[in-house]
Amino acid sequence: MPKLAAALVLLVHMLCLPAAVGGAQAQEAAIPAYWDEKERLPKPDLSSLGRLRFLTTIDFPPFNFLDGDGRLAGFHVELARAICRELDIVARCQIQGLPWGELDAAMEAEQGEALLAATAVTAQTRERYAFSRPYLRFPARFAVPRASTMAEPMHAAVRGKRIGVLARSAHETMLRRYFPEARPVTYSRVDWLYDDLREGKLDGAFGDGMQLSFWLAGSNAKNCCRFAGGPYLAPEFLGHGLAIAVRHEGAALARAFDYALREIGVKGVFAELYLKYFPVSFY
């Protein structure tokens, strides 16, 4: 096995040990596990915190959206509520939805204490914010026809196979770097890639696990395909995931979120939310 491929497989097993649920459906019910149950974080004292206002977006389903009654809903909304329950500050918690383009200005104007809106942790965003630990990472995945026999080790399974991937994407770079014996077929549009996979013109596709999970669960896929191998986490290509952002002077609040996220994770609350909003797991 090439050294880089071996390192990637190791990264999969170290960072993404999924809990299987449901026997034959284990692959689709895998839960991302980011927290060590043996780790102990100090419970924060938030008695001096007057209120905690989470700012989020209103138009990024399933993370944030307005439901049929016009109420803010979604994965981030329920995660914020779970955090407030874990920190025993429900009465002091508020969640406000704004258009994406207004969030940074609202934080600068101190209209909120925390930003829970799929903010990626990058060198640029770190200049503006302090962050909690990541609460969600987006792995790369292979999708293959249901009849395919491809399985781990995928570096061998994809040898000589036609694998569709978006051109000039991080996933194309990953595919060429970690699976050099595959035959990449590049596409300028993801819908064309998915159409060819469904119609049997490709042996597989490689891309963002979350987007693939939505497609696999949708009507356009026509139940043609499934995940194979992975998931693959490669921060150097895919980033460090999503985290809760606070102003730098509120870094202690980010540590409080770490405590709450860890408790939510080990108690199974995160798993319930994850499967509610991502029924076809991208892990």
Side-chain angles (χ1 to χ4, degrees):
M1 180 185 296
K3 290 183 179 179
L4 283 172
L8 184 63
V9 171
L10 179 61
L11 188 61
V12 170
H13 292 291
M14 288 178 63
L15 298 183
C16 191
L17 300 175
V21 179
Q25 299 300 318
Q27 184 183 38
E28 295 187 352
I31 309 297
Y34 305 133
W35 299 92
D36 182 353
E37 292 192 16
K38 296 181 180 179
E39 182 179 17
R40 291 292 181 266
L41 299 179
K43 186 171 183 176
D45 179 4
L46 298 181
S47 58
S48 63
L49 181 67
R51 61 180 172 177
L52 173 57
R53 296 169 295 177
F54 285 100
L55 300 182
T56 191
T57 59
I58 57 177
D59 54 0
F60 187 40
F63 291 93
N64 314 84
F65 57 92
L66 298 179
D67 65 16
D69 296 320
R71 295 174 301 188
L72 192 61
F75 176 81
H76 280 152
V77 175
E78 294 203 41
L79 181 61
R81 291 170 179 159
I83 289 171
C84 291
R85 287 194 298 270
E86 196 61 51
L87 295 175
D88 298 322
I89 56 171
V90 172
R92 289 177 279 162
C93 272
Q94 301 173 13
I95 306 169
Q96 181 180 1
L98 296 171
W100 172 263
E102 298 179 13
L103 290 173
D104 287 333
M107 285 291 287
E108 288 180 6
E110 300 188 5
Q111 296 175 15
E113 285 69 49
L115 187 57
L116 182 53
T119 304
V121 182
T122 66
Q124 184 178 8
T125 56
R126 283 189 185 279
E127 293 180 1
R128 184 185 295 268
Y129 299 116
F131 287 93
S132 69
R133 296 191 200 178
Y135 59 85
L136 195 61
R137 299 184 178 105
F138 300 110
R141 295 297 306 264
F142 284 100
V144 300
R146 286 201 172 273
S148 173
T149 59
M150 280 197 282
E152 292 287 4
M154 292 298 288
H155 75 279
V158 299
R159 184 178 297 126
K161 301 294 187 182
R162 288 168 48 85
I163 306 297
V165 66
L166 277 179
R168 296 178 296 279
S169 66
H171 297 97
E172 181 188 0
T173 305
M174 283 184 64
L175 181 65
R176 295 183 185 278
R177 178 78 60 86
Y178 294 127
F179 306 93
E181 296 189 61
R183 294 172 56 197
V185 181
T186 59
Y187 291 80
S188 59
R189 288 178 45 172
V190 70
D191 54 330
W192 293 346
L193 188 164
Y194 292 165
D195 288 347
D196 279 2
L197 178 61
R198 184 190 63 239
E199 294 170 13
K201 298 177 182 179
L202 295 169
D203 297 304
F206 187 71
D208 177 73
M210 184 178 71
Q211 291 185 12
L212 279 168
S213 75
F214 292 157
W215 180 73
L216 291 173
S219 58
N220 286 341
K222 298 181 180 179
N223 200 34
C224 71
C225 306
R226 60 176 177 82
F227 281 132
Y232 304 101
L233 293 170
E236 67 273 27
F237 294 119
L238 305 179
H240 297 278
L242 307 182
I244 306 173
V246 300
R247 288 182 293 277
H248 283 290
E249 61 268 25
L253 187 58
R255 304 289 76 79
F257 293 149
D258 288 344
Y259 169 84
L261 289 169
R262 188 263 177 196
E263 295 299 306
I264 289 168
V266 300
K267 292 177 181 178
V269 176
F270 182 87
E272 293 176 4
L273 294 179
Y274 177 81
L275 289 177
K276 177 178 179 178
Y277 289 98
F278 308 104
V280 176
S281 176
F282 45 89
Y283 271 80

